[in-house]
Amino acid sequence: MSVSTVSIKDRTAVVTGAGSARGIGRATAHALAAAGWNVAILDLDEAGAKDAANDVAERHGVQAVGVGCDITDDASVDTALAVVADTVPPVGALVNNAGITSPVPFLEVTGEEWERIFAVNIRGSFNVTRRLAPGMAERGFGRIVFLSSVSAERGGGVFGGVAYSAAKAGQLGFARALARELGPHGVTVNSVAPGLIDTDITAGKLVGEREKQVLAGVPVGRKGRVADVADLITYLCRAESGYITGATYDVNGGAHIH
Ligand SMILES: NC(=O)c1ccc[n+]([C@@H]2O[C@H](COP(=O)([O-])OP(=O)(O)OC[C@H]3O[C@@H](n4cnc5c(N)ncnc54)[C@H](O)[C@@H]3O)[C@@H](O)[C@H]2O)c1
């Protein structure tokens, strides 16, 4: 399918984890809708997902649906995606944004904690991607974006520990290999790797001296804003961005330059 025949106004972008009010996913849902995408939001927090969808539809005049969904659970993902298929236009983009972090040091980490982090960041991304990629490939158009992290590239050093860094690095390999397989079907797959972004993911645990230390390592001298990340994701989802695939985009204020 050529770029000129694809209109994102006839497509839906699925954003996981866009329920949290100050999160990257919510800002991304708004940015995508502002660009013309219809939006579907899947979040563990059902009320948050519905609130986000209402807000997006109201502000941007696109179709939007919010569904409660635990992306680690196969049945829950099946049910949520059935609702999406029934209510909004075909899926043209997926933003694998839902994620959780953990600062537990490696010498203290339990197997359960390790699994918990991988369940959302890796298995959860797999659960959603595995179900949406075939439709995108069949229609000859798709955009998939993973939310990795600077922690994957520099080996932690912000907030997340080894489990988080390993899971986020796993997403990079996932995205790169998938880009190779789906390229022939018109589906691009990219990752964004944010540095410290001002959201609630650390649950208020990155403050005071610790926050100052992290910011001292950020050349632009501030935390990132959710819009900084949302804009980049929206750019990667454009129909015109079809020659960008298998790439990782840093959005970290210079915290890691390589
Ligand atoms: N904030 C940062 O500094 C930062 C930096 C690098 C990467 N990231 C990544 O960006 C993404 C978004 O982060 P954020 O800071 O906006 O986080 P956030 O905590 O504000 O939002 C995460 C959302 O994911 C949802 N979620 C968690 N587990 C889920 C599950 N099992 N099923 C469905 N939804 C689930 C939560 O309910 C929440 O709405 C994450 O993948 C995170 O790892 C964030």
Side-chain angles (χ1 to χ4, degrees):
M1 191 178 281
S2 73
V3 163
S4 59
T5 59
V6 178
S7 168
I8 57 170
K9 293 186 170 36
D10 305 325
R11 292 282 188 276
T12 297
V14 173
V15 186
T16 65
S20 79
R22 292 191 342 106
I24 293 168
R26 177 81 68 123
T28 301
H30 279 294
L32 288 166
W37 288 91
N38 303 292
V39 171
I41 290 160
L42 269 48
D43 201 298
L44 204 49
D45 171 6
E46 184 175 4
K50 290 194 187 313
D51 175 62
N54 288 339
D55 200 16
V56 162
E58 213 168 276
R59 250 203 262 171
H60 308 284
V62 299
Q63 296 180 57
V65 63
V67 196
C69 174
D70 179 354
I71 62 164
T72 69
D73 182 86
D74 281 291
S76 174
V77 177
D78 278 337
T79 307
L81 291 182
V83 173
V84 171
D86 282 349
T87 48
V88 284
V91 174
L94 165 63
V95 183
N96 280 314
N97 168 78
I100 54 170
T101 187
S102 161
V104 178
F106 189 73
L107 297 183
E108 293 162 28
V109 81
T110 60
E112 288 72 29
E113 180 67 352
W114 189 270
E115 297 286 337
R116 188 177 75 87
I117 299 304
F118 272 71
V120 181
N121 292 293
I122 295 288
R123 178 64 198 231
S125 299
F126 167 76
N127 284 342
V128 183
T129 306
R130 177 67 187 88
R131 286 168 172 81
L132 292 178
M136 291 187 201
E138 212 175 282
R139 291 185 288 275
F141 174 81
R143 302 282 178 261
I144 301 174
V145 180
F146 284 75
L147 266 293
S148 179
S149 168
V150 69
S151 299
E153 301 173 308
R154 69 191 295 254
V158 183
F159 178 80
V162 176
Y164 182 70
S165 298
K168 289 301 186 189
Q171 290 185 323
L172 296 181
F174 185 163
R176 288 172 182 152
L178 191 60
R180 219 177 266 284
E181 282 198 23
L182 298 185
H185 303 284
V187 180
T188 65
V189 190
N190 293 290
S191 302
V192 300
L196 179 60
I197 309 298
D198 186 17
T199 74
D200 296 323
I201 195 170
T202 58
K205 289 191 189 123
L206 184 61
V207 287
E209 246 343 279
R210 206 158 157 210
E211 183 180 71
K212 261 195 214 143
Q213 267 174 17
V214 174
L215 285 178
V218 182
V220 306
R222 65 166 173 87
K223 288 196 242 187
R225 303 181 182 109
V226 288
D228 295 329
V229 188
D231 282 348
L232 175 58
I233 294 169
T234 303
Y235 183 85
L236 292 171
C237 288
R238 297 182 322 157
E240 295 82 355
S241 298
Y243 207 61
I244 306 172
T245 196
T248 303
Y249 279 80
D250 291 342
V251 50
N252 62 29
H256 182 62
I257 298 175
H258 56 115

